[in-house]
Amino acid sequence: MRATPAVRAATAARWARRALPLPAGAVPALAFPEPALWWLAYAALVPWLLLVRAAPTPRAAARAGWLGGTGFMLAMHHWLMPSLHVFIVLLAALLGLLWLPWGWLVHRLLAGAPTGGRFAAAVVLVPSGWLLAELVRSWEYLGGPWGLLGASQWQVTPALRLASVGGVWLVSFVVVAVNTALAALLAVPRARRAAAIAVLATAVSTCAVWMWAPRPHPAGATRVAVVQIGETSSRAERFARGEELTRRLAGRRPDLVVWGESSVGYDLRGHPSLVRRLAALSRATHAPLLVNVDAQRSDRPGIFKSAVLVDERGLTGQRYDKMRLVPFGEYVPFRSVLGWATSVGRAAGEDRQRGQEPVVMRSGGARFGPLICFETAFPDMSRHLAAEGARVLVAQSSTSTFQHSWAPEQHASLAALRAAETGRPMVHATLTGVSAAFGPEGEQVGRRMDTATSAATLTEVPLARGTTLYVRFGDWTARLAVTALAAYLALEATRAVRSRRDRQRDRDEDGSPGLTVPARR
């Protein structure tokens, strides 16, 4: 028996509702580098929001939230495919579950014909629900905060000013709020006036932050040289290339010379000849060298990634061991269970060991805070270094495994956000690109080196004094978002209990208490 056109149309609509959230969730990834369509972020969630809103049931809306989250995670991390292969699909699906309650929340607030009051709640609660998903996945053991929606605005000056007040979390909140308002403008006639007011209020608030939020005050400059070694075939060749490029800085008087992550593949304590060569470079450039060692340590068991400072006399004793490691790239979580990942991709064959505490180093009169690679994605780490007195943030990184993907550009862009959040300049020095420097307000300074470059560049990096509101008050945006969600859930629970009690009372009143049933004898 052939299905009628109505049945076929209903079946097609059902499958569309199930399939479309996956690509709709992937759209926001285009706002990040390399496409860098930053303006798209303010409307990129609208198709996904409309699909969730139109879901026939709360359960279907939650599923649309999960599928969209899976699509977003796949798009943001697609460059991990050479390392993880099919395992990345499983990881994306697991992380996508974080948007399952967000889908339920969107449907609860926007489905049907919401009043202006319900829409006003949605403008606060939908971004809060998004932030909750970002907060949970920012836990380093779940992959860390790579691809936070607010990070797509790294080159937008007003957004960077927002970051100085509430961190990347405030930028994410604003972006999701604008998307929520646009979705209502398109699909909720009763809430259009409130949606227009919400967009206007967001613009006015951003302008107010632009005008009145504290700004870093100029306080001189420091000259930082970045040595980008480029792709090499061996650790000996890598070291030799770093030497060659560093010698070109002689006579240019840098205050600090920085090599990228894994630039030294030997434990320097066990190779005094290499220390002497680095000390000779320090004498030639009249500047200390911050190199990055990726090797088995001689004084304790295990492989560490470490920022090591060398001056004209040799090792200074100032060393920072990387604290937050890349899951699967530098260690395999629950290796006894997930160790098979090394057989299907380029997961770490041996786990790196973790450092114990952050370090603020001193070179001459300057204090700088080192971070290593993945750690630049964590706002709390740079904030802590700034609070401890670092005047410059220095990141040593390498995305050589993902050289021809979006990863190098995405990684470099994070330095702009960390600089704006802390009011401290940040130098992002890589092994193979992209290397860049950003001033205290997140503005790019000096020459940018792409992945095809092997060179040494010297940048005069502006310094600043003063404290941003984000450094002073921390993740207040996230705390307020969680508080708003908790208050909403408590209110909904109270309403549910009251509604159940009213229904029970109505049933009791509908009964006939005057009639009794005689007991059987």
Side-chain angles (χ1 to χ4, degrees), residues 362-387:
R362 182 180 293 275
S363 171
R367 292 164 61 86
F368 64 92
L371 295 167
I372 300 176
C373 198
F374 180 57
E375 294 177 331
T376 64
F378 293 86
D380 65 299
M381 296 197 73
S382 51
R383 174 176 169 260
H384 177 84
L385 291 171

Side-chain angles (χ1 to χ4, degrees), residues 108-469:
R108 180 78 174 176
L109 294 168
L110 293 179
T115 61
R118 183 146 61 101
F119 169 75
V123 170
V124 175
L125 294 172
V126 170
S128 296
W130 182 278
L131 248 62
L132 182 61
E134 289 198 334
L135 281 169
V136 174
R137 78 178 181 87
S138 293
W139 188 39
E140 60 177 305
Y141 299 104
L142 288 180
W146 191 282
L148 300 181
L149 190 59
S152 65
Q153 306 302 294
W154 66 278
Q155 56 187 324
V156 182
T157 305
L160 292 173
R161 295 284 288 135
L162 286 174
S164 75
V165 173
V168 68
W169 313 111
L170 181 56
V171 185
S172 287
F173 187 97
V174 168
V175 171
V176 180
V178 171
N179 275 273
T180 304
L182 290 179
L185 281 170
L186 290 173
V188 187
R190 293 179 62 185
R192 281 175 180 162
R193 179 178 297 178
I197 293 173
V199 173
L200 181 61
T202 300
V204 170
S205 301
T206 302
C207 290
V209 169
W210 170 266
M211 293 174 62
W212 291 307
R215 306 182 75 158
H217 304 288
T222 187
R223 294 162 60 83
V224 180
V226 172
V227 175
Q228 184 170 297
I229 293 171
E231 294 188 80
T232 56
S233 58
S234 70
R235 58 181 181 171
E237 184 179 334
R238 191 185 313 149
F239 192 95
R241 180 62 176 161
E243 275 186 300
E244 177 190 347
L245 293 173
T246 304
R247 288 194 196 98
R248 299 179 187 178
L249 297 167
R252 300 180 65 185
R253 295 283 179 173
D255 296 314
L256 178 67
V257 178
V258 186
W259 290 15
E261 182 187 15
S262 303
S263 48
V264 177
Y266 309 87
D267 177 50
L268 291 176
R269 290 178 180 271
H271 291 79
S273 62
L274 297 182
V275 176
R276 287 193 293 271
R277 289 163 66 180
L278 292 171
L281 291 174
S282 178
R283 289 191 294 272
T285 57
H286 299 283
L289 274 63
L290 185 70
V291 298
N292 191 274
V293 176
D294 182 3
Q296 186 90 27
R297 287 184 64 161
S298 58
D299 58 337
R300 64 179 64 176
I303 300 175
F304 287 80
K305 282 193 175 181
S306 308
V308 178
L309 192 66
V310 181
D311 65 12
E312 59 187 17
R313 294 182 297 275
L315 296 175
T316 65
Q318 298 184 70
R319 177 186 187 122
Y320 166 66
D321 296 324
K322 186 176 184 180
M323 297 171 61
R324 296 184 181 173
L325 304 176
V326 181
F328 297 97
E330 294 172 334
Y331 78 102
V332 176
F334 310 107
R335 185 177 285 272
S336 60
V337 177
L338 301 177
W340 58 269
T342 60
S343 64
V344 297
R346 293 187 291 217
E350 180 178 351
D351 292 347
R352 265 59 175 174
Q353 304 301 308
R354 297 177 185 275
Q356 298 302 311
E357 59 183 5
V359 173
V360 175
M361 296 183 178
R362 182 180 293 275
S363 171
R367 292 164 61 86
F368 64 92
L371 295 167
I372 300 176
C373 198
F374 180 57
E375 294 177 331
T376 64
F378 293 86
D380 65 299
M381 296 197 73
S382 51
R383 174 176 169 260
H384 177 84
L385 291 171
E388 290 297 312
R391 300 197 65 199
V392 182
L393 303 173
V394 178
Q396 296 172 297
S397 70
S398 172
T399 48
S400 55
T401 305
F402 315 104
Q403 191 75 343
H404 304 292
S405 71
W406 294 359
E409 289 284 354
Q410 285 184 17
H411 202 174
S413 71
L414 295 174
L417 279 162
R418 304 292 87 87
E421 288 170 340
T422 59
R424 296 293 179 264
M426 186 164 190
V427 177
H428 183 77
T430 70
L431 187 69
T432 58
V434 172
S435 295
F438 298 89
E441 295 188 75
E443 74 281 14
Q444 186 172 320
V445 295
R447 176 188 168 192
R448 183 184 184 90
M449 289 190 283
D450 61 22
T451 55
T453 302
S454 176
T457 62
L458 181 62
T459 301
E460 187 156 313
V461 178
L463 300 176
R465 56 184 173 82
T467 304
T468 65
L469 292 177

